[in-house]
Amino acid sequence: RLPVPKLEDTITRYLNAQKPLLNDDQFRKTEELAHAFEKGIGRELHEQLVAQDNQNKHTSYITGPWFDMYLKAREPVVLNFNAFMSFNPDPKPEYNDQLIRATNMTVSAIRFMKTFRAGYLEPEVFHLNPEKSDTEIFKKIIRFVPSSVSWFGAYMVNAYPLDMSQYFRLFNSTRLPKLNKDELYTDEKAKHLLVLRNGNFYVFDVIDRDGNMLKPSEIQAHLKYILSDNSPAPAFPLGYLSSENRDTWALLRKNLLENGNEEALQKVDSAMFCLSLDDFPIKDFVHVSHTMLHGDAANRWYDKSFNLIITKDGTAGINFEHSWGDGVAVLRFQNEVFKDSTKTPAISPQSQPASVDSSRAVQKLDFKLNDALKAGITKAKQRFDATVESLSLNLIRFQEGGKELLKQKKVSPDAVAQLAFQMAFLRQYDQTVATYESCSTAAFKHGRTETIRPASVHTKKCSEAFVKELSKHSPEELQKLIVECSKYHGRLTKEAAMGQGFDRHLFSLRYLALSKELPLPDFYQDQAYARLNHNIISTSTLVSPAVQLGGFGPVVADGFGVGYQVHDDWIGCNVSSYPARNGKEFLQCIHKSLEDIFNILKGKKIGS
């Protein structure tokens, strides 16, 4: 189970995270408020939280508050919450044809779903010592140990089973807009796929009456039929509604239902997933990011648990809604789909589509729109277009080294990437700001994520040495500063992964106070608390053989959204920003910071 940290540990960790962001006077005030909270109302709330947690052993203390946080948020899901991960191309070029890849990936996705529902999907396990635990012998033995104690057997060999409670929401699921708080909806009985092309909505069954998957050649035939349909794009594309403010969208949805669209919407909501087929090829990586992060809202349904997007040239990616689950579940799905569709593809470029009557099997959904709905779609489109217009996406590949060299030098690759972000921001804006790094707590029952706070007194000291006082430090001193940052970051990462961060704990205590209608404690009204939770640099990382790049929008208007990957010999960085910040310049500063850090670690001098 996810542990509730000790209150005194949480306060200490919180103050450590505040230190680099405040001057001495501000810090003293924040420290006073924190200690008063710890001795007073905070203690009471903490005891209530622990008691509540003990009564709800079937779940974790963060589950309720976290779902609420996502589902009560009224901002549009696109750019604010939905993230994307794009697939690497199929290693066999001729398999990157849009129809072939769409068919193979759809078949692999259905195989994954059937394997999961039948209880045959291999459990997600984090192996600290893979030589011992990631073996056929261990799998054979553990299979026969009752599940109530099997986790203990895994612990003995340093293998940690991860929580998979989110997986069932991958399929046949959608987020329904409701006033004040949305709902998650899942209908596992539905057998159809939703396909979007040119703003038109199509559905067809991919599972037959006996629960078997349709033949791949039939799925291919139906997708070919959709790809060759030359119906014009709708004048009022429904997809835009899923990009709206949630309350606005809830009212429009009510109107849709009352206007005779119940059956069509039910098809959209219950579909296995949404396959979005785009009619253009990809120009470059920035174009990939724009396409997968938001694309054309006419051809997306952002409320689905995920959209599988495939462009004209077979570039594929996933855009996923975030309330139901986190990157770990989506990544596992993505890895399996990539592996299955490339290693054992269902169809080949030589395959012929089945001779079936697709015009009968495929249903094009028709929506009845009154004037209010048409006006709603027009307004949603204007809003969406304006937001997208203001969004910048930029990326770099740092080619001068990566994980291998950093491990040789005994520093943490993640710590170095995070240090580079701190250094870059200092170089560009001359300040240290609230920074967020996401860390999975899936090692615990119903764990979600915890925050790592990469901005520390160590990164601040090191960044200032590199950016402002280079001439005052010898290369050995600079090396020592990097190592200190790495050690401290390693500690923070370990704490977060073990459920010992401070963010979720403080968030839950605040949630508890509000749910009991207590006045909000002074601690939470401190400007420093608000500033720490205004995450100007929001970061997330993942590396996988299936994933080409990933990214998300800034979480605040004056922030950066940083998706990064540290590979063996290079580092990739994908940055999103709005006009308040210059993402291109930030990336140049990141590149310069990485160059400096690597030069110092290699024992070279830094060029100015």
Side-chain angles (χ1 to χ4, degrees):
R1 298 196 63 231
L2 182 69
V4 178
K6 289 187 182 132
L7 185 58
E8 48 275 30
D9 291 349
T10 287
I11 296 298
T12 304
R13 289 169 181 144
Y14 168 74
L15 290 171
N16 285 342
Q18 284 287 19
K19 193 130 208 174
L21 309 179
L22 305 173
N23 65 30
D24 292 348
D25 288 346
Q26 291 169 322
F27 184 73
R28 260 196 302 277
K29 184 191 163 206
T30 291
E31 196 173 29
E32 273 169 31
L33 285 166
H35 289 312
F37 178 74
E38 183 188 345
K39 292 186 187 76
I41 181 73
R43 172 73 43 209
E44 289 168 41
L45 288 167
H46 174 75
E47 281 163 8
Q48 288 176 21
L49 183 69
V50 170
Q52 216 178 44
D53 185 52
N54 287 333
Q55 285 166 351
N56 291 284
K57 293 207 150 85
H58 63 285
T59 186
S60 75
Y61 76 90
I62 194 63
T63 302
W66 211 238
F67 271 124
D68 257 22
M69 180 272 301
Y70 273 123
L71 296 173
K72 282 181 174 166
R74 300 291 84 193
E75 301 89 349
V77 291
V78 61
L79 294 181
N80 293 305
F81 296 103
N82 289 26
F84 86 87
M85 297 190 267
S86 68
F87 285 95
N88 273 315
D90 192 306
K92 304 182 291 296
E94 67 278 18
Y95 279 78
N96 288 310
D97 168 86
Q98 187 178 25
L99 174 61
I100 289 163
R101 200 161 199 204
T103 305
N104 283 329
M105 285 193 153
T106 298
V107 168
S108 294
I110 300 165
R111 282 177 180 162
F112 179 93
M113 182 203 76
K114 286 181 67 64
T115 308
F116 170 66
R117 288 191 182 159
Y120 286 118
L121 189 67
E122 192 174 310
E124 190 67 24
V125 179
F126 179 63
H127 298 276
L128 268 180
N129 189 348
E131 292 74 38
K132 267 189 172 168
S133 56
D134 202 2
T135 62
E136 286 311 311
I137 285 183
F138 173 73
K139 288 176 191 173
K140 279 203 175 85
I141 295 169
I142 207 77
R143 184 171 292 149
F144 296 106
V145 180
S147 62
S148 56
V149 287
S150 60
W151 61 272
F152 189 71
Y155 275 20
M156 298 307 286
V157 289
N158 245 341
Y160 297 86
L162 302 184
D163 178 74
M164 295 173 76
S165 62
Q166 299 173 0
Y167 283 51
F168 83 101
R169 292 260 191 222
L170 264 167
F171 302 104
N172 303 98
S173 296
T174 202
R175 173 174 172 161
L176 301 176
K178 303 275 175 176
L179 285 175
N180 305 320
K181 183 184 169 185
D182 291 355
E183 278 169 27
L184 290 174
Y185 168 85
T186 301
D187 175 6
E188 293 188 352
K189 291 191 284 292
K191 297 175 162 58
H192 62 282
L193 177 69
L194 170 67
V195 184
L196 265 49
R197 179 173 165 259
N198 201 14
N200 290 305
F201 287 58
Y202 305 85
V203 291
F204 63 86
D205 283 355
V206 285
I207 303 278
D208 68 18
R209 251 173 276 171
D210 304 322
N212 299 313
M213 178 174 71
L214 236 61
K215 288 196 196 90
S217 60
E218 291 183 31
I219 292 173
Q220 182 187 6
H222 298 337
L223 291 176
K224 186 179 181 183
Y225 170 80
I226 291 169
L227 282 168
S228 47
D229 178 23
N230 34 25
S231 303
F236 298 95
L238 203 76
Y240 283 105
L241 293 180
S242 71
S243 77
E244 241 316 351
N245 165 286
R246 304 307 292 174
D247 282 340
T248 309
W249 173 202
L251 294 169
L252 288 163
R253 182 185 158 85
K254 203 165 160 284
N255 188 337
L256 270 169
L257 291 168
E258 287 160 4
N259 212 40
N261 296 294
E262 200 170 338
E263 204 180 312
L265 276 175
Q266 174 58 26
K267 287 268 196 239
V268 171
D269 297 336
S270 62
M272 194 172 292
F273 60 90
C274 175
L275 173 65
S276 298
L277 300 172
D278 283 346
D279 278 344
F280 52 82
I282 290 293
K283 297 196 266 291
D284 53 28
F285 283 135
V286 171
H287 191 206
V288 172
S289 292
H290 278 291
T291 302
M292 304 306 171
L293 180 59
H294 56 81
D296 176 0
N299 218 40
R300 302 284 182 271
W301 196 255
Y302 302 112
D303 289 357
K304 278 311 268 182
S305 54
F306 69 90
N307 287 246
L308 172 59
I309 301 156
I310 303 181
T311 63
K312 194 79 176 156
D313 59 356
T315 303
I318 282 178
N319 176 294
F320 66 97
E321 198 280 312
H322 220 320
S323 64
W324 65 270
D326 303 303
V328 232
V330 183
L331 186 61
R332 170 71 189 269
F333 169 68
Q334 194 154 0
N335 286 341
E336 300 285 5
V337 165
F338 183 76
K339 197 168 104 184
D340 190 64
S341 65
T342 54
K343 298 249 164 66
T344 51
I347 64 162
S348 75
Q350 287 69 47
S351 306
Q352 286 303 309
S355 38
V356 284
D357 184 1
S358 294
S359 66
R360 285 184 60 184
V362 178
Q363 180 195 356
K364 183 164 167 243
L365 299 181
D366 191 29
F367 296 95
K368 302 174 189 70
L369 305 177
N370 56 25
D371 289 348
L373 287 165
K374 288 178 181 173
I377 291 171
T378 304
K379 210 166 158 193
K381 181 181 184 335
Q382 287 163 347
R383 215 186 116 132
F384 174 82
D385 290 347
T387 309
V388 164
E389 188 59 40
S390 71
L391 175 81
S392 297
L393 294 173
N394 295 283
L395 56 119
I396 54 158
R397 270 188 175 203
F398 174 78
Q399 305 275 20
E400 289 152 56
K403 202 182 288 178
E404 276 177 7
L405 188 122
L406 295 171
K407 284 193 166 162
Q408 257 170 30
K409 302 287 177 194
K410 299 199 167 40
V411 291
S412 142
D414 191 58
V416 165
Q418 289 289 346
L419 174 60
F421 306 153
Q422 292 302 314
M423 232 178 248
F425 199 90
L426 187 75
R427 189 181 292 279
Q428 190 179 4
Y429 295 106
D430 195 24
Q431 59 183 142
T432 298
V433 291
T435 307
Y436 180 108
E437 179 182 355
S438 173
C439 176
S440 170
T441 49
F444 300 98
K445 188 180 183 70
H446 293 191
R448 293 284 312 235
T449 57
E450 182 52 271
T451 309
I452 299 168
R453 292 291 181 173
S456 66
V457 285
H458 305 281
T459 59
K460 190 176 187 175
K461 189 175 161 188
C462 185
S463 300
E464 285 177 346
F466 271 80
V467 175
K468 298 179 169 181
E469 308 159 353
L470 199 53
S471 56
K472 293 186 195 164
H473 297 274
S474 69
E476 291 72 34
E477 286 170 349
L478 292 171
Q479 234 169 29
K480 220 161 122 185
L481 288 171
I482 296 170
V483 170
E484 267 169 39
C485 290
S486 171
K487 279 191 186 138
Y488 187 70
H489 187 78
R491 195 182 105 194
L492 290 182
T493 304
K494 204 170 183 170
E495 285 175 353
M498 296 313 292
Q500 294 293 332
F502 66 84
D503 278 87
R504 298 299 174 270
H505 187 196
L506 290 178
F507 179 86
S508 300
L509 296 176
R510 182 176 183 274
Y511 177 87
L512 188 62
L514 293 174
S515 69
K516 300 224 180 265
E517 296 186 353
L518 299 170
L520 190 63
D522 294 346
F523 171 80
Y524 292 110
Q525 299 191 47
D526 181 7
Q527 271 184 316
Y529 179 84
R531 210 174 314 141
L532 182 68
N533 287 289
H534 182 87
N535 291 299
I536 289 177
I537 306 174
S538 183
T539 73
S540 189
T541 184
L542 54 93
V543 172
S544 142
V547 175
Q548 182 184 50
L549 70 160
F552 49 93
V555 297
V556 291
D558 60 339
F560 290 122
V562 185
Y564 64 104
Q565 298 171 304
V566 185
H567 293 271
D568 285 344
D569 51 2
W570 60 279
I571 297 172
C573 214
N574 194 0
V575 168
S576 63
S577 57
Y578 291 118
R581 298 280 176 197
N582 183 338
K584 216 180 191 114
E585 193 182 306
F586 184 50
L587 276 171
Q588 286 163 353
C589 293
I590 290 173
H591 197 278
K592 165 87 176 113
S593 303
L594 286 169
E595 227 165 47
D596 290 354
I597 295 167
F598 273 81
N599 278 335
I600 286 295
L601 290 173
K602 288 174 185 167
K604 289 183 183 169
K605 278 229 168 18
I606 293 180
S608 58

